[in-house]
Amino acid sequence: PTDPDSLDCVQSRWMWGGDTGVQCPDTELTGFGGHIMIHNGGKGYVEGVELYKMGQTNVLGRYPIHYHILGNDCVDCYFRSSSVHRSFYRCISIHGTNSITVSENVAYDVTGYCYYLEDGVEEDNTFSYNLVAHVHYLGIAAFGNGQTTELNYESPTLTLPADVTASGFYVTNVHNNIIGNSASGGWAGYAFPSLRRPIGAHSDVNLKPSTRTGLTIDGNTAHSTGWWWSHAAGFYFGGALYLEGDSLVYNAGRDQSNGNRSPCEVDHCASGNCDSYCASQDQSWVQLTNSKVFLVPGAGINSWSGRMEVIGYESHDNGLSLEALESGFWIDNMLSVCRTGESWIMPPNSVANAVKGNGFFWYDTGQEHIITNSKFRNCGYRSSEFDQYDTSPDRGCGDDADTGCNQKSSVFGFLTHSDQFNPESMQATKNIVFESCGRRYKLHDFNGDNAPSTVSGRLQNWLDTDGSATGQGIPTIIGSGQSEAGLWWDVDDEVVHDEQGPLNFIKKTRKRDIGHIRLAFDITEHDQVGSSICGNGSGAECPALGYIKHFGSMFANDLGLPVTANPDVAGLTGGYGWLLSLNNGAPRTLKLDFFEIHPDSILVLGIAYPLGTNVEIKAFASWCTPSNSYGCEEVFQSVGTPDAVRLSNGNTYHMDATGFLTVRLIMSPQSYTGTPDWIYPAMNTIGKWGNWYAIDRFSRSDVTLLKFSYGPYMTIEADCPPSSGNSAYCDGTPTNFVPTVCSAGYEQVAFDRCCKINNILDCVDA
């Protein structure tokens, strides 16, 4: 065999606290060693061998050992109790072959991915109790800004473009067993790229790897990895590998076009349409159990895409325990030890206190995350400013260069930089334990702590189902504590104001819940979102076009929550109602969608119109054809009082003599409005044609989050003449109306309660 030239290159792209140095691209490509291939109906039973300086760098199919396109004809074959070291290209490739066992092997000093599932069609194989350390990438290690990296293309110097993220394990299809392995070093420990279609010799196979269900991924560990990019991880469920023409392209970052993983119990490829949507009742979850990650400057686990259940996970000395961006993600029995107290062994010029000591970050939009039965230890920055919950001198992590953490570290963080992407009701916890932690909560805007508040910052919310995360001891709703939100989350005198977030802790009593709607009323303004206004952390202005606040005299002098050109609204339901007031007047056409409203928690919307205005209100289902079984459209009926609206099934409205409109909002099914007449679905109402539920949700461990549906919407059309300044609004000034919520002799004490004057024990709830 021939050794590649020896060159001194930097060890890490991200010198945490130091210089980035210079890499050495396109070198060490000349390794030329022997290779073993089992093919053409052969059988391979390999045990107790040493493979030294084997493989041929960057040459397709020339690996130390290679099970090549054996299909199901080698089901009892194995490679075990062997070693692969100083490998010029990979360790073992399973290629177009199923049910191989790779067990109890040791690999060290490897170029390219080591344990390797080649084309995405390989299934029912088992990798168990293997070790890999010291893995080298090819080309320039993938890195980037935000969630994206540069694309990498197949070339003479990069046969597999994914080798820019060479890691210990390369799992292109989760329908395999990954058990009891250990990975140290590499771009990541375990890489799970998403493949929409198989590649290589199997590119015409009728299979979609990214929809395959997972087998057992249990008892694996990763250590000292993820140093080349801040989003690399011990377990990296990210990256997309796909064909453009006949050449491979690899996006190592978050790829929402080619990298979406959606494990499904139904094989839609079998019916000829691999790209069919996986219905709620058919969705599956990749389960990662009993895993451990140590010493990663970024995230211990990162999942850009794919429904997952992470159970029994331990994170030690990582910058962030887990990063998850997915609609339907459950974390149970997690132990997050942000700092163990051991000195970090780091690349030159790097220091531990430049690395975060974060527990978990709530993402900013389109997610459902549930965390249960989990413990956070020594997380969050320690300072006298953040000692409201723990004053012990060794809590959290401090400034020490060998064992400390970044000063912006917190146990829980909220992404709040965006006016464009905003949270619905999408995060919940149960049975959370803090042990010796510093700062617990932080609304995190990467533009700085003094940046203007954002839509995502003002809408932040969290359902603490048992009060363990807040320390309240009872079910608690957490809402943003930013002053620019007004009294939107500050709804009674029992609200606890947390200084760290800042947050508000609200008792989840009576019928209180978290709801969400999206409004549309001025298309000219809305169409500029994400460009000239209301950007994703760009610093573009996002001015208020109006405000929304709770009904009643208690909130009369409060401006309310700003409603911007990106008019998402998340807030407390179960009260007397939400009052919408726009700066330019009442909306002539108001569209509402993305409903998340618990059926047991009433939400009434109120809007003041110019005197004499009439409205027509309709609800529309999506993907619906009217039939004797299902209705697709509903025209709301006028009723005589606001109370009748509150008590209705959500298909009525009331317009009083002053022009004040009251309408109840509910969460309707996605693809029908009635059966065929209008229905008000309960949580247990079964969905269309007996499938799933009428109201979509994500539930784990007795915790439930509603999931808004794409498609259904309702409209409020007003017959008022258009304003000469902007035809989206009514001409004329609406009556300045404050809805009365309390009977005579009572006063409002909360957004959902009135009590008798001078007798707070005599109360009436909304």
Side-chain angles (χ1 to χ4, degrees):
T2 302
D3 273 317
D5 294 335
S6 176
L7 293 173
D8 293 325
C9 299
V10 300
Q11 299 178 45
S12 171
R13 180 73 185 183
W14 297 100
M15 296 301 180
W16 298 86
D19 296 330
T20 58
V22 178
Q23 290 181 299
C24 303
D26 301 331
T27 59
E28 302 199 7
L29 298 178
T30 58
F32 189 89
H35 68 98
I36 301 169
M37 180 185 292
I38 300 99
H39 64 113
N40 289 343
K43 300 277 188 178
Y45 306 93
V46 183
E47 184 171 8
V49 302
E50 178 184 14
L51 303 179
Y52 176 62
K53 290 189 176 181
M54 293 188 68
Q56 297 169 16
T57 309
N58 209 41
V59 179
L60 187 67
R62 298 298 183 255
Y63 319 125
I65 189 161
H66 181 191
Y67 289 84
H68 180 70
I69 311 183
L70 300 173
N72 295 312
D73 296 332
C74 202
V75 295
D76 58 346
C77 294
Y78 55 79
F79 177 71
R80 65 193 187 197
S81 303
S82 299
S83 68
V84 182
H85 56 118
R86 197 67 193 279
S87 170
F88 297 140
Y89 203 35
R90 315 211 188 291
C91 301
I92 175 172
S93 171
I94 297 179
H95 184 201
T97 302
N98 304 319
S99 303
I100 296 285
T101 296
V102 179
S103 186
E104 298 184 325
N105 301 292
V106 173
Y108 177 77
D109 196 5
V110 178
T111 296
Y113 284 104
C114 180
Y115 299 100
Y116 182 72
L117 294 169
E118 191 155 340
D119 284 355
V121 298
E122 299 81 14
E123 297 192 340
D124 298 306
N125 299 287
T126 296
F127 290 92
S128 60
Y129 311 109
N130 301 287
L131 169 67
V132 57
H134 203 33
V135 178
H136 314 291
Y137 62 85
L138 292 171
I140 298 177
F143 68 98
N145 296 315
Q147 301 170 357
T148 61
T149 65
E150 291 186 1
L151 297 180
N152 290 274
Y153 297 88
E154 182 180 347
S155 71
T157 58
L158 197 61
T159 301
L160 178 75
D163 272 322
V164 298
T165 58
S167 307
F169 291 80
Y170 178 75
V171 184
T172 54
N173 185 326
V174 296
H175 202 77
N176 290 278
N177 298 298
I178 316 294
I179 302 170
N181 302 284
S182 182
S184 180
W187 190 89
Y190 302 78
F192 295 79
S194 180
L195 276 64
R196 292 183 61 188
R197 294 289 185 272
I199 61 172
H202 299 88
S203 60
D204 60 350
V205 172
N206 187 35
L207 177 74
K208 189 173 183 179
S210 60
T211 64
R212 301 298 287 158
T213 57
L215 295 185
T216 301
I217 308 175
D218 179 75
N220 302 287
T221 65
H223 198 295
S224 303
T225 186
W227 290 90
W228 292 101
W229 186 37
S230 59
H231 290 294
F235 293 81
Y236 184 68
F237 290 81
L241 184 65
Y242 54 94
L243 285 166
E244 281 189 357
D246 295 327
S247 296
L248 287 171
V249 181
Y250 179 62
N251 182 346
R254 188 185 185 201
D255 188 329
Q256 298 184 75
S257 298
N258 300 291
N260 288 329
R261 187 190 308 273
S262 181
C264 194
E265 297 289 347
V266 175
D267 181 7
H268 290 290
C269 293
S271 60
N273 190 356
C274 285
D275 292 325
S276 289
Y277 173 72
C278 186
S280 295
Q281 66 270 15
D282 300 324
Q283 291 175 357
S284 181
W285 274 256
V286 176
Q287 194 172 86
L288 187 71
T289 57
N290 302 313
S291 303
K292 297 180 176 68
V293 181
F294 306 81
L295 203 62
V296 176
I301 298 173
N302 185 352
S303 177
W304 290 129
S305 177
R307 294 177 295 274
M308 290 187 68
E309 297 176 339
V310 178
I311 301 171
Y313 165 55
E314 292 187 20
S315 170
H316 300 269
D317 282 324
N318 300 315
L320 175 66
S321 297
L322 191 152
E323 185 170 23
L325 281 73
E326 182 53 48
S327 177
F329 205 103
W330 181 35
I331 303 162
D332 183 56
N333 194 27
M334 174 174 67
L335 172 62
S336 172
V337 185
C338 295
R339 291 295 184 271
T340 61
E342 297 294 327
S343 295
W344 281 39
I345 306 301
M346 303 181 72
N349 303 318
S350 298
V351 288
N353 61 11
V355 181
K356 300 287 179 61
N358 292 325
F360 187 81
F361 258 67
W362 301 117
Y363 193 56
D364 56 1
T365 195
Q367 313 292 300
E368 283 81 36
H369 292 149
I370 295 174
I371 304 178
T372 55
N373 308 311
S374 294
K375 181 180 295 183
F376 296 88
R377 182 184 299 155
N378 295 339
C379 297
Y381 181 63
R382 175 174 67 245
S383 78
S384 58
E385 185 180 357
F386 309 121
D387 63 355
Q388 291 84 358
Y389 302 100
D390 190 336
T391 58
S392 59
D394 58 351
R395 68 188 183 280
C397 43
D399 294 310
D400 183 83
D402 295 324
T403 63
C405 66
N406 184 280
Q407 294 183 4
K408 296 185 181 297
S409 302
S410 59
V411 183
F412 283 100
F414 304 73
L415 292 182
T416 62
H417 60 274
S418 188
D419 290 305
Q420 183 179 2
F421 301 111
N422 307 309
E424 304 84 34
S425 171
M426 61 186 200
Q427 45 220 26
T429 55
K430 184 176 76 173
N431 192 20
I432 300 300
V433 176
F434 302 96
E435 283 189 0
S436 190
C437 287
R439 185 172 188 175
R440 288 194 182 181
Y441 320 105
K442 179 174 172 40
L443 299 183
H444 183 79
D445 186 334
F446 63 73
N447 289 307
D449 293 341
N450 297 319
S453 77
T454 59
V455 178
S456 62
R458 296 187 291 266
L459 296 187
Q460 286 296 332
N461 62 83
W462 168 4
L463 183 58
D464 178 17
T465 62
D466 61 355
S468 59
T470 56
Q472 300 303 297
I474 60 171
T476 301
I477 294 170
I478 302 174
S480 173
Q482 291 186 337
S483 59
E484 294 85 351
L487 298 179
W488 187 243
W489 300 102
D490 193 1
V491 294
D492 61 27
D493 60 7
E494 294 184 312
V495 170
V496 175
H497 303 286
D498 163 72
E499 301 174 43
Q500 295 189 2
L503 300 168
N504 286 319
F505 301 157
I506 307 141
K507 290 182 178 180
K508 191 180 183 299
T509 55
R510 301 185 279 278
K511 298 294 185 179
R512 295 176 176 181
D513 218 303
I514 304 171
H516 174 269
I517 57 174
R518 186 178 68 171
L519 311 172
F521 49 84
D522 189 337
I523 300 303
T524 301
E525 292 285 337
H526 303 330
D527 285 348
Q528 299 179 65
V529 170
S531 55
S532 59
I533 58 175
C534 301
N536 186 28
S538 65
E541 291 188 359
C542 193
L545 303 183
Y547 294 86
I548 194 165
K549 59 185 177 181
H550 298 288
F551 279 13
S553 59
M554 183 176 171
F555 304 93
N557 296 323
D558 177 46
L559 272 178
L561 178 78
V563 175
T564 71
N566 195 18
D568 277 299
V569 180
L572 296 168
T573 59
Y576 293 107
W578 293 358
L579 175 62
L580 175 66
S581 176
L582 301 176
N583 298 343
N584 289 332
R588 295 181 65 228
T589 298
L590 177 63
K591 178 183 176 182
L592 303 97
D593 61 2
F594 288 13
F595 297 96
E596 290 179 345
I597 305 168
H598 197 285
D600 296 335
S601 187
I602 291 175
L603 175 56
V604 170
L605 179 66
I607 306 172
Y609 283 89
L611 194 63
T613 301
N614 297 300
V615 297
E616 182 179 56
I617 304 177
K618 294 182 179 180
F620 302 87
S622 60
W623 299 290
C624 182
T625 301
S627 68
N628 291 332
S629 299
Y630 294 102
C632 302
E633 179 180 326
E634 178 77 4
V635 178
F636 286 33
Q637 301 300 310
S638 175
V639 294
T641 65
D643 285 343
V645 172
R646 290 184 63 86
L647 297 174
S648 75
N649 286 332
N651 61 342
T652 65
Y653 69 93
H654 173 72
M655 180 73 85
D656 73 10
T658 70
F660 188 74
L661 172 69
T662 304
V663 58
R664 183 176 179 186
L665 308 180
I666 70 166
M667 188 172 179
S668 292
Q670 180 181 40
S671 58
Y672 63 103
T673 58
T675 55
D677 295 330
W678 176 266
I679 64 166
Y680 174 46
M683 287 298 291
N684 61 355
T685 301
I686 300 301
K688 198 171 187 178
W689 307 121
N691 293 318
W692 194 232
Y693 294 99
I695 295 176
D696 201 7
R697 81 288 303 270
F698 175 58
S699 298
R700 290 294 187 276
S701 191
D702 297 322
V703 178
T704 296
L705 292 169
L706 302 181
K707 295 176 62 175
F708 72 80
S709 296
Y710 291 97
Y713 65 97
M714 63 179 287
T715 58
I716 301 174
E717 299 279 356
D719 66 359
C720 55
S723 168
S724 58
N726 187 334
S727 61
Y729 303 92
C730 294
D731 189 33
T733 304
T735 304
N736 186 14
F737 188 83
V738 178
T740 299
V741 299
C742 298
S743 303
Y746 285 75
E747 63 180 349
Q748 189 175 12
V749 297
F751 83 109
D752 59 351
R753 170 169 280 192
C754 294
C755 292
K756 196 165 187 178
I757 298 172
N758 299 324
N759 184 3
I760 60 172
L761 299 179
D762 184 356
C763 298
V764 178
D765 297 329

